[in-house]
Amino acid sequence: MPTPRTKLFVCALPLWMTACDGGPSTPTPEAKKTEPPAKVEAKVETKTETKTETKVEEKAEAKPDDKAPAEPPKPAAAPLTVVAGAPGPAFIAVEKKGIVRLDGGKFTPVSGAETGSYKQLKVGADGKVYAANYSQIGRLDADSFTVVVGDGDTRQPNSSTDYAVAADGQIWSATFSAIDHFDGKAWTSEPVSVLALAADDFPQAIAVDRAGKPWLATSQKVFVRQGDAWTAVDLKPAKARSPYYLTRMALAPDGSVYAMGMDSVFHLVDGQPAKKLKLGGTSSYTELSVSADGHLALIDVDKVTASDPSGKLQMLRSGKHFKKGSIWAVGADDSGRVWIGSDAGLTVIGADGTKNEWLSGAAPEIAGEIKSILVVGSGPAALPGAGEVRKGGLKGAIVDHDGKPVSGATLEVCPNPSFIYTKTPCADQPVRFTGKTDAEGVWTFAEVPLGEYGVAVKVGSKWQTTLGFAMNGAMKEGEVFDIGSIKLAEKK
């Protein structure tokens, strides 16, 4: 089963974090280092503050007979409908930065979703584009995010693992404890016990085909709703290796459903035997994207497997076809392009091999952890230039379990310090800074590309990797961001 990626969280000063021991795996050749070690400043700096001069203006006193002109009513948000082969925007969900729209050659935060953590950008069976955060499900219109459920009387009864929107706008939600259904007026819930699952099996993903039938994937099974009951789907005709470890579902271009397991993707059509897509040899899939006309893209550890509607495969490898880094999100569009979000940045690779790449910090709007990518139709025709990489500074302090400064400690800063590594936690990362703390336990790195970073500290012969903090929403160009103090674990 794929190893989950460690998530990083922002902490405010004073910042106390728990560090975890990490040990090297079987040694392999160390990645080539291209960055010189960053200079560590001995001087303790204070946080950079931006001073804003406030001017108080005297307003003219309004007379009783003065009336402000009435504001014209705002037009309703134009619905965005996916049309196969037609150009459309790309949407990118970035941790704590909300959803960013790429269209017309520029990145623009989506109104109503400019901040926060969004996930699962997807197309509903109604052809519209949706997104979800931890409490709301909403529709992405021409230039804004409109909440559909999650507020007031439409509040979801359970925390959603996945959701799906039917052609008539009804919503189905899979949770670890229940299957929830919103009929447009109110929610109803069924306990997971109706599925008679094994103790270690839970709902993972849900989809609604274009005929209106809901499909549910648990870790090891697939169910389809027949009337008022869930019926198990026989996956054996697909001749896929079990256990399946199903994690994702998506709408197929013909209105049927795909279900993705660890090394298989099933094509599910109501009333027909399950089939397995031909996607190559042994794999370990973690994400799936399907375009309107049937282009597929899947994350497979350190590569992306892409397939066109005819079944022709393309393997895009990290470090060869795009900047080396951990792959976070993937998207496919009808023009055959593959969109890849990683800790190195965003890359778009065309069917002919042409590449557009925005390294971390080159596009501040998407600097950070890219959670999800969805491209409408054939995607935007014009893509912005990469631009200059924006940079800032990072500083912090290392203290022991008693809160005393740790001087001379070796540390690394990189986007995603690994718990399983070749030589050091950051050795294989696309951006890496190394140095030591000063006499006060303080470390500082300058010229750091805007993005998300973690810290690894060497204590004796072992590395301790922070459980993390995300700096993508806090770093600013030309300023030094102070993450506070990292408290090391007590030696046992």
Side-chain angles (χ1 to χ4, degrees):
M1 191 170 183
T3 303
R5 185 175 67 251
T6 302
K7 188 173 181 179
L8 306 179
F9 301 89
V10 174
C11 300
L13 185 64
L15 175 64
W16 299 100
M17 285 177 285
T18 303
C20 302
D21 288 343
S25 60
T26 304
T28 56
E30 183 181 2
K32 184 178 179 181
K33 302 176 183 177
T34 57
E35 317 88 338
K39 181 179 179 181
V40 177
E41 299 179 8
K43 183 180 179 181
V44 180
E45 300 180 14
T46 56
K47 291 184 179 179
T48 300
E49 297 182 358
T50 302
K51 296 182 178 180
T52 305
E53 183 181 355
T54 305
K55 295 183 178 180
V56 180
E57 297 181 0
E58 294 185 1
K59 294 184 178 180
E61 184 179 352
K63 297 180 179 180
D65 57 347
D66 287 345
K67 293 183 179 181
E71 294 184 4
K74 294 182 179 180
L80 180 64
T81 303
V82 177
V83 177
F91 293 100
I92 304 156
V94 184
E95 180 70 10
K96 293 184 173 61
K97 286 192 172 180
I99 303 172
V100 177
R101 176 187 175 117
L102 173 53
D103 198 18
K106 61 181 181 180
F107 295 98
T108 307
V110 172
S111 175
E114 302 96 330
T115 60
S117 300
Y118 289 82
K119 56 182 179 177
Q120 300 165 326
L121 300 176
K122 58 174 60 183
V123 177
D126 58 357
K128 295 180 173 58
V129 181
Y130 293 87
N133 56 27
Y134 293 103
S135 63
Q136 299 171 326
I137 298 172
R139 187 181 65 249
L140 289 169
D141 296 313
D143 57 1
S144 63
F145 175 78
T146 302
V147 175
V148 177
V149 294
D151 293 338
D153 294 339
T154 66
R155 185 178 180 84
Q156 298 180 69
N158 298 286
S159 180
S160 176
T161 301
D162 192 24
Y163 71 97
V165 181
D168 59 1
Q170 296 189 46
I171 298 174
W172 289 83
S173 174
T175 79
F176 283 131
S177 60
I179 305 107
D180 298 332
H181 175 222
F182 183 74
D183 64 1
K185 297 180 180 179
W187 286 97
T188 54
S189 296
E190 288 181 282
V192 169
S193 58
V194 301
L195 303 175
L197 300 174
D200 59 350
D201 196 7
F202 300 95
Q204 299 288 338
I206 197 164
V208 180
D209 64 25
R210 217 158 271 147
K213 282 195 173 182
W215 298 71
L216 177 72
T218 69
S219 299
Q220 305 301 333
K221 295 182 178 182
V222 170
F223 296 85
V224 62
R225 192 167 181 84
Q226 305 283 6
D228 294 329
W230 293 96
T231 303
V233 176
D234 185 7
L235 298 179
K236 291 180 180 178
K239 297 181 179 180
R241 185 171 59 180
S242 63
Y244 303 120
Y245 298 117
L246 300 163
T247 56
R248 298 287 185 269
M249 299 193 89
L251 196 64
D254 63 358
S256 57
V257 170
Y258 292 131
M260 185 193 78
M262 186 172 72
D263 66 354
S264 304
V265 176
F266 299 93
H267 189 194
L268 307 171
V269 180
D270 189 32
Q272 298 182 22
K275 296 181 180 179
K276 177 184 173 182
L277 300 186
K278 296 179 179 179
L279 296 171
T282 303
S283 303
S284 184
Y285 301 128
T286 54
E287 291 293 344
L288 166 68
S289 176
V290 184
S291 79
D293 73 350
H295 284 82
L296 272 70
L298 302 99
I299 297 178
D300 181 6
V301 190
D302 62 347
K303 68 178 182 290
V304 172
T305 298
S307 172
D308 68 12
S310 71
K312 182 179 178 181
L313 297 178
Q314 183 182 21
M315 302 295 176
L316 303 171
R317 298 185 180 277
S318 173
K320 180 179 180 181
H321 298 96
F322 54 96
K323 186 75 171 178
K324 187 173 183 178
S326 300
I327 307 170
W328 287 333
V330 69
D333 68 29
D334 291 346
S335 66
R337 292 180 297 188
V338 178
W339 299 62
I340 302 167
S342 73
D343 53 16
L346 175 67
T347 304
V348 180
I349 302 176
D352 58 358
T354 56
K355 181 171 66 175
N356 294 80
E357 200 161 45
W358 298 267
L359 301 182
S360 182
E365 298 87 352
I366 58 170
E369 182 181 358
I370 296 175
K371 303 290 290 185
S372 185
I373 300 172
L374 188 145
V375 189
V376 176
S378 61
L383 297 177
E388 182 182 358
V389 174
R390 313 289 181 85
K391 298 178 180 180
L394 288 176
K395 69 173 293 186
I398 308 297
V399 299
D400 63 19
H401 64 280
D402 291 324
K404 297 177 181 178
V406 178
S407 63
T410 298
L411 73 149
E412 297 183 318
V413 171
C414 62
N416 191 20
S418 178
F419 290 97
I420 301 174
Y421 48 83
T422 56
K423 188 175 180 181
T424 70
C426 291
D428 299 325
Q429 292 289 295
V431 178
R432 175 177 177 243
F433 293 86
T434 62
K436 291 181 179 293
T437 58
D438 64 14
E440 301 297 325
V442 175
W443 55 271
T444 305
F445 295 117
E447 297 296 303
V448 180
L450 302 185
E452 182 175 272
Y453 296 93
V455 177
V457 184
K458 191 173 186 180
V459 180
S461 61
K462 294 184 177 181
W463 286 91
Q464 293 190 17
T465 302
T466 60
L467 289 180
F469 37 85
M471 290 169 265
N472 57 312
M475 289 186 69
K476 295 182 180 180
E477 184 179 8
E479 297 184 8
V480 177
F481 175 64
D482 189 342
I483 72 166
S485 298
I486 298 173
K487 188 176 183 179
L488 299 177
E490 184 175 0
K491 293 182 180 179
K492 295 181 179 180

